[in-house]
Amino acid sequence: MNYKMELTAEQAAILNGEQGETMAKVMKTLVMYGEAFGATKMVPVTSEKGHLVTSFGLKVMTPVYDLMDQLINAGITSKQKFSVDPKPVDPKVPSNFIKNFVFNKFMYTKQDSYDEQLRKLGLVSDDAYTCTCYMDQVGNLPKKGDVLSWAESSAVVYANSVLGARCNRNSGIIELFGSIVGYVPYFGLVTDEGRKATWVVEVKCSKKPEAQVLGSAIGMKVMEDVPYVKGLTEWIGTELNDDAKAYLKDFGAATASNGAVGLYHIAGLTPEAVEMGEDIIAENAQVYVVDDAELERVKASYPVMWKDPDKAPQLCFIGCPHLSLQQLKEWTDNVCEGLKKNGRAKVSIPTVFTAAPAVCDEFNKTEYAARLAATGVTLSYICPLMYMNNPVAKKGRVITNSNKLRTYTTSRYYTSEEILDIITKGVK
Ligand code: F3S
């Protein structure tokens, strides 16, 4: 193969088939991918674990299963163990006969065999299905400066921005190849230059901006560029504590899905912004001012995809990306308080909170678990997007406080406060 980038002797040997034909194809794919983006070399993946985005056994993904089989049959396992995105179904989540029939007979018929393939290739554990693999309870937490081979956009933006790790917005399978061979192409967000901010965002709001709307506004404005956000520490503090991390998780997922942001810097808070200050801003960076009116404008621009927007919602999803333990506790307190205030015992519509299996386990050990169960809320490990991504589920009237879920499905966006009101007050 002809290539322009600089390869080490070991990398060139892999490419030339020293570790077998299948491994050579894996390396070739990564080299071609890197060259398409102007990569100058391949650099070692240094994180302890990988993370895969493809978690669902969709019947139509035959090429993926064939590819996995080729890797397994060639005796290849991933150099690093990996976690994977959440599963698409959970028997606990409210469903009906038709939905179950579609899920089990038509859509996710390959789930069990795909899970088995993941196990053979290097899945950390049967519990490692979540998009928030970086939660303490899950334990796939990269260190600052680690080079990663991940693809899940909400996890990539979190790892880059909050943890100071280095990862491009790769695609599914490419990230698996990087984990297998232990190298990724050197371009974009892996480089110092690519991590410079090309936008300065000035937050001038009169109250704490809703994380998911602020992220959405910034994502839609800067698209794949790197924003440096000023004025946010006034609302979320200068310490990366549980509150700030949860805020940035939700904010980042919105920047990554409503735009294509892979890295942001928060002045006075995130590691590289603290370390380098405004030196991390590139020359001639553009400026975007966000105030209350701008956030209102952005929120009002979201289309409502329901056939009948005036009808009451039928299902509510909270937890895309998956909730942290602290968020689960807060939501439990808020729902209990809201129900009490409104003289109700249970939530008014089927409501599902989603979190990583390990976070759910930890939550279930606390006194909050029984309180949440008493409100009628279901706790699940699924990905709401996967649950909704089919012709039957997408006809339902689903509400969410996730701007990612809103973007990719027919669900309707409400702020967390509005959602709380809807589920605890009753439906008009
Ligand atoms: Fe996670 Fe699924 Fe949302 S992977 S970010 S819960 S779309």
Side-chain angles (χ1 to χ4, degrees):
M1 166 194 180
N2 287 330
Y3 55 87
K4 288 198 213 93
M5 72 166 76
E6 207 182 291
L7 294 184
T8 63
E10 189 215 347
Q11 292 162 352
I14 299 174
L15 188 63
N16 290 327
E18 199 169 85
Q19 295 185 20
E21 195 192 335
T22 309
M23 201 62 163
K25 282 187 193 167
V26 170
M27 188 56 130
K28 183 178 172 188
T29 308
L30 288 169
V31 170
M32 287 172 73
Y33 166 56
E35 299 234 308
F37 286 93
T40 50
K41 58 183 175 180
M42 302 285 283
V43 290
V45 173
T46 59
S47 65
E48 195 196 325
K49 292 179 193 138
H51 181 82
L52 305 196
V53 71
T54 324
S55 57
F56 37 91
L58 263 183
K59 193 178 174 184
V60 292
M61 295 198 331
T62 320
V64 171
Y65 312 128
D66 289 349
L67 184 145
M68 295 290 204
D69 272 342
Q70 280 189 45
L71 293 169
I72 294 164
N73 293 339
I76 290 172
T77 51
S78 172
K79 267 213 170 119
Q80 43 174 206
K81 294 260 180 196
F82 51 79
S83 46
V84 62
D85 265 7
K87 290 202 179 187
V89 272
D90 173 358
K92 288 204 304 296
V93 172
S95 193
N96 58 35
F97 176 77
I98 301 178
K99 266 187 218 168
N100 288 339
F101 188 72
V102 170
F103 282 151
N104 299 326
K105 296 280 175 227
F106 291 102
M107 290 190 64
Y108 300 116
T109 50
K110 295 284 179 190
Q111 192 66 45
D112 291 347
S113 54
Y114 183 59
D115 289 342
E116 187 54 30
Q117 288 182 316
L118 291 175
R119 248 175 253 133
K120 285 184 178 155
L121 279 168
L123 180 65
V124 177
S125 75
D126 289 346
D127 234 17
Y129 288 80
T130 177
C131 45
T132 56
C133 58
Y134 44 79
M135 292 285 165
D136 290 343
Q137 297 83 0
V138 186
N140 187 356
L141 185 68
K143 297 185 297 298
K144 182 166 181 291
D146 269 349
V147 174
L148 320 181
S149 186
W150 292 7
E152 162 54 45
S153 67
S154 68
V156 167
V157 74
Y158 187 91
N160 272 323
S161 314
V162 181
L163 305 177
R166 295 188 171 216
C167 186
N168 277 313
R169 280 179 54 113
N170 303 300
S171 67
I173 303 300
I174 284 284
E175 99 277 50
L176 169 65
F177 282 7
S179 279
I180 284 176
V181 89
Y183 295 106
V184 287
Y186 185 71
F187 71 93
L189 299 177
V190 182
T191 69
D192 287 345
E193 202 47 38
R195 297 180 72 84
K196 288 208 160 166
T198 46
W199 280 87
V200 173
V201 178
E202 295 175 4
V203 176
K204 294 184 172 169
C205 298
S206 65
K207 56 181 191 303
K208 182 178 177 178
E210 185 84 5
Q212 299 258 8
V213 182
L214 179 63
S216 158
I218 294 175
M220 286 198 271
K221 175 63 83 177
V222 313
M223 293 312 291
E224 77 278 22
D225 289 349
V226 179
Y228 180 89
V229 185
K230 289 179 173 180
L232 195 54
T233 45
E234 187 184 326
W235 305 108
I236 63 171
T238 51
E239 200 195 319
L240 273 178
N241 53 22
D242 284 352
D243 271 341
K245 286 193 275 190
Y247 185 97
L248 295 179
K249 162 179 75 73
D250 294 338
F251 163 83
T255 65
S257 55
N258 287 217
V261 173
L263 164 68
Y264 56 81
H265 302 293
I266 308 291
L269 184 60
T270 52
E272 282 151 280
V274 167
E275 208 173 271
M276 296 179 63
E278 299 204 353
D279 287 348
I280 204 153
I281 303 172
E283 257 176 56
N284 302 321
Q286 302 181 73
V287 176
Y288 175 40
V289 177
V290 179
D291 55 15
D292 299 343
E294 176 64 354
L295 291 183
E296 268 313 311
R297 181 194 69 77
V298 168
K299 186 171 171 250
S301 73
Y302 302 151
V304 179
M305 315 278 279
W306 295 358
K307 199 167 164 211
D308 191 343
D310 295 329
K311 281 203 171 158
Q314 296 163 311
L315 182 62
C316 170
F317 275 120
I318 310 284
C320 166
H322 276 173
L323 294 169
S324 67
L325 181 60
Q326 195 209 2
Q327 284 181 308
L328 269 178
K329 289 179 178 175
E330 268 169 22
W331 270 102
T332 304
D333 279 339
N334 292 343
V335 170
C336 289
E337 238 169 70
L339 289 174
K340 197 168 154 201
K341 198 172 81 196
N342 294 310
R344 297 179 61 98
K346 297 215 180 267
V347 283
S348 60
I349 53 168
T351 299
V352 183
F353 290 177
T354 53
V359 171
C360 295
D361 287 351
E362 220 34 55
F363 179 78
N364 285 332
K365 288 181 200 155
T366 68
E367 46 98 21
Y368 287 86
R371 287 173 55 211
L372 183 67
T375 67
V377 170
T378 304
L379 179 61
S380 169
Y381 49 74
I382 62 161
C383 167
L385 195 156
M386 286 299 122
Y387 172 91
M388 285 194 68
N389 235 344
N390 66 76
V392 188
K394 79 179 192 196
K395 283 195 188 132
R397 293 184 299 279
V398 176
I399 58 170
T400 183
N401 66 345
S402 164
N403 234 325
K404 179 171 181 179
L405 191 61
R406 173 200 65 82
T407 303
Y408 291 125
T409 68
T410 55
S411 63
R412 182 171 187 169
Y413 177 82
Y414 286 100
T415 64
S416 297
E417 210 180 304
E418 290 166 337
I419 291 256
L420 186 66
D421 216 48
I422 296 170
I423 62 178
T424 59
K425 228 185 219 165
V427 186
K428 283 168 240 145

